[in-house]
Amino acid sequence: MVPVGPLQPDLVVVLVSGLRADLPGESGAEAAFLAPFADDLSLVAQAAYAQSPDPVASMGSLLTGRYPSAVPICGSVRRDEGSDLDEVWCHRLPAEVDSLPGVLRHYGYRSALVHSLGPVPGFAEAFDLALPLEPGATAWDTLEGPLDAWWYSEDVSPRLLVLQLGDLDLPRRPELLMELDPSARDWARLGPHAPSPGPARGHAQERLTPRRPPCTPLVGQQAGEPAVWDALAGGEVDHERQRSELLTVASREASRLGLALRHRLAQLPSERPRTVVLAGLHGMSIAELGGTLADESELLWSDRIADRTVHVPLAFIGGLEGPLRVVEQPVELVDLLPTLLARGGAQAPHGLPGQDLLHPDWREEPGSALAYAEYGDMLALRQGDLL
């Protein structure tokens, strides 16, 4: 073990499933979530990408600094003998793969994980302490006692704390969609969906507009077309009204979560410096039951990864001197492992794709940076304004 250094910071990583980046020119859940931390932010990445829309795959990728298929944490199996459909699984973190808490342990760090991923083999075992939440939970009040006990158990060692919180309430509640517009019931009754829903497609699939070209300007993906919602709902829907109402409630939920986090982190004092990561673990899930825009429902049948499923907020507190740095080029959540290891004075495993986003000499490379995501046999690359 490397001797503990006096300036090794405490590292806190906050990951919120389903918290996707705001649309261009829109102040939504991302802005509301980050607002309580606005005066403390050192870096904000405007084009950050998770490596999978699946929370388990994204978490495993982030903790190992590897793409999901390189861990491997995911795969696919044939559903049955007479089917040509594959079912994707993401269910374990291999013990033999280096992980963020495992590497930092060699540099004197203690580690704790608060998560809502359920009993996924490998995740809890990678940390010194793992505290499970109810699946999909957004609060951890019941864990304050054990978490406080771990935090205060000794002050000699630096700490790594990973808080993985469940989905924001609004976008995944079909009953709320029904309250906003009764015509949404047909859509809500379809779910939940696997990546290849098969017979659940029903007649709505026949009425979908043609898919876009494989390489799509992001502004086209986010402009609210094609009007698939109308096909599912069976009639005209006031999209702007639904967008406005859902944005309001989603922003309120995200603001509540951001304020609670800020208050909670202030209750965990330390004499050490602290670096905090605030990020979405993934954007809109392929199996999500909510949302307002017509083209969001295309995710239920699409054979490609849409931008909103993997485009997530990413911001840092601490770890960087000087004014706020705003990064416009695509970056990835696999960048978090080398970034956090560097803050802790640790050496990153060889051959990883990520980069240290907080390095003083790091510079953007407009037009050349890439972000990659995968889900089963679907792959996505973000370069510039194209996905």
Side-chain angles (χ1 to χ4, degrees):
M1 178 181 292
V2 176
V4 175
L7 297 181
Q8 286 177 289
D10 290 328
L11 304 174
V12 179
V13 183
V14 179
L15 304 165
V16 185
S17 293
L19 180 61
R20 55 184 178 270
D22 290 341
L23 300 181
E26 197 168 68
S27 181
E30 175 188 11
F33 175 69
L34 295 179
F37 306 95
D39 294 337
D40 303 319
L41 298 178
S42 57
L43 183 147
V44 173
Q46 296 183 336
Y49 281 81
Q51 275 48 80
S52 175
D54 180 272
V56 174
S58 180
M59 188 71 161
S61 175
L62 183 155
L63 289 178
T64 61
R66 303 171 184 268
Y67 298 125
S69 58
V71 175
I73 193 171
C74 299
S76 62
V77 293
R78 193 53 51 94
R79 284 183 171 184
D80 56 65
E81 295 295 333
S83 171
D84 60 353
L85 297 176
D86 289 342
E87 182 173 357
V88 177
W89 54 262
C90 299
H91 72 161
R92 72 182 185 95
L93 185 68
E96 62 272 16
V97 177
D98 290 323
S99 65
L100 177 63
V103 174
L104 286 174
R105 187 175 294 116
H106 293 294
Y107 292 82
Y109 273 81
R110 299 187 293 125
S111 62
L113 169 68
V114 178
H115 70 101
S116 61
L117 292 174
V120 181
F123 284 115
E125 291 79 0
F127 290 80
D128 298 329
L129 175 69
L131 300 171
L133 293 168
E134 292 296 322
T138 57
W140 56 96
D141 296 341
T142 58
L143 300 178
E144 285 191 358
L147 184 59
D148 289 344
W150 170 82
W151 185 270
Y152 292 111
S153 61
E154 56 109 333
D155 294 328
V156 176
S157 302
R159 310 167 181 91
L160 167 67
L161 172 61
V162 178
L163 299 172
Q164 185 274 316
L165 306 177
D167 307 340
L168 294 175
D169 292 342
L170 171 72
R172 295 166 188 272
R173 286 174 51 195
E175 69 275 13
L176 184 53
L177 281 174
M178 295 180 201
E179 293 173 9
L180 295 174
D181 195 312
S183 62
R185 291 171 185 162
D186 288 342
W187 184 5
R189 197 158 41 234
L190 291 175
H193 294 279
S196 301
R201 294 179 177 184
H203 69 280
Q205 170 66 9
E206 301 173 3
R207 300 165 62 181
L208 295 181
T209 55
R211 291 190 177 95
R212 306 180 188 90
C215 191
T216 309
L218 291 181
V219 292
Q221 282 201 37
Q222 297 174 333
E225 52 81 27
V228 182
W229 179 288
D230 293 344
L232 287 169
E236 293 297 326
V237 176
D238 188 341
H239 301 297
E240 291 305 317
R241 180 180 65 82
Q242 287 204 349
R243 175 203 289 269
S244 176
E245 292 181 6
L246 282 166
L247 269 179
T248 298
V249 183
S251 297
R252 184 180 68 220
E253 292 293 314
S255 176
R256 177 189 60 79
L257 181 58
L259 289 169
L261 276 168
R262 182 177 177 84
H263 176 71
R264 189 69 184 96
L265 293 178
Q267 294 177 327
L268 300 175
S270 173
E271 295 182 358
R272 293 179 175 273
R274 180 182 297 180
T275 298
V276 179
V277 177
L278 303 168
L281 183 58
H282 61 89
M284 178 179 178
S285 169
I286 287 181
E288 184 173 330
L289 284 176
T292 61
L293 300 180
D295 62 330
E296 290 185 348
S297 58
E298 186 181 4
L299 303 178
L300 302 176
W301 302 281
S302 180
D303 58 1
R304 60 180 174 79
I305 297 176
D307 184 75
R308 67 184 65 249
T309 67
V310 286
H311 188 182
V312 295
L314 174 61
F316 288 83
I317 298 173
L320 188 67
E321 299 294 333
L324 173 66
R325 177 189 292 178
V326 178
V327 178
E328 297 180 352
Q329 77 174 41
V331 298
E332 302 173 311
L333 292 191
V334 291
D335 294 326
L336 292 181
L337 184 135
T339 301
L340 293 173
L341 290 182
R343 305 286 78 70
Q347 182 70 38
H350 180 70
L352 299 182
Q355 56 188 327
D356 179 3
L357 298 178
L358 297 180
H359 193 283
D361 297 330
W362 185 84
R363 295 291 181 270
E364 292 194 63
E365 302 175 3
S368 62
L370 295 172
Y372 169 82
E374 61 183 63
Y375 188 73
D377 60 356
M378 294 187 290
L379 308 177
L381 276 177
R382 164 76 188 268
Q383 182 176 27
D385 290 332
L386 296 177
L387 180 71

